[in-house]
Amino acid sequence: MIVMEINIHEAKTNFSKLLQRVAAGEEITIAKAGVPVARLVPIEPARTKRKLGIDRGKIYIADDFDAPLPDDILAAFYGEEPKQEEPKQEEPKQKRGKKKR
């Protein structure tokens, strides 16, 4: 983008020409005694309204999309190491023996 700096007197004298340059994409800074006081910039074109429903039927959201995350994935979001679950140890079985009388 081209930036041009002019003084106030020149801006008043050539205002129409300056607007044409701005419409062509230039940016013009107006200065008073060498100190910038205003800027002429082109206006962005108005955005068109979005058409609602154009993707209807194309997107599927699972019923459980907001279900809690597993612990290992949740830990990854926070930059933590996933917790390793310790394998369950079975309790030793008691030997059945003969009853003493």
Side-chain angles (χ1 to χ4, degrees), residues 38-84:
R39 188 174 0 164
L40 295 175
V41 294
I43 294 178
E44 293 181 18
R47 294 182 182 175
T48 57
K49 287 190 175 185
R50 294 186 303 176
K51 190 173 184 179
L52 298 178
I54 60 173
D55 287 331
R56 183 172 288 143
K58 296 179 182 178
I59 298 172
Y60 170 77
I61 298 176
D63 292 334
D64 64 346
F65 81 99
D66 60 349
L69 293 171
D71 290 337
D72 57 332
I73 295 175
L74 191 59
F77 272 101
Y78 291 106
E80 302 168 356
E81 291 293 322
K83 295 179 183 175
Q84 299 286 336

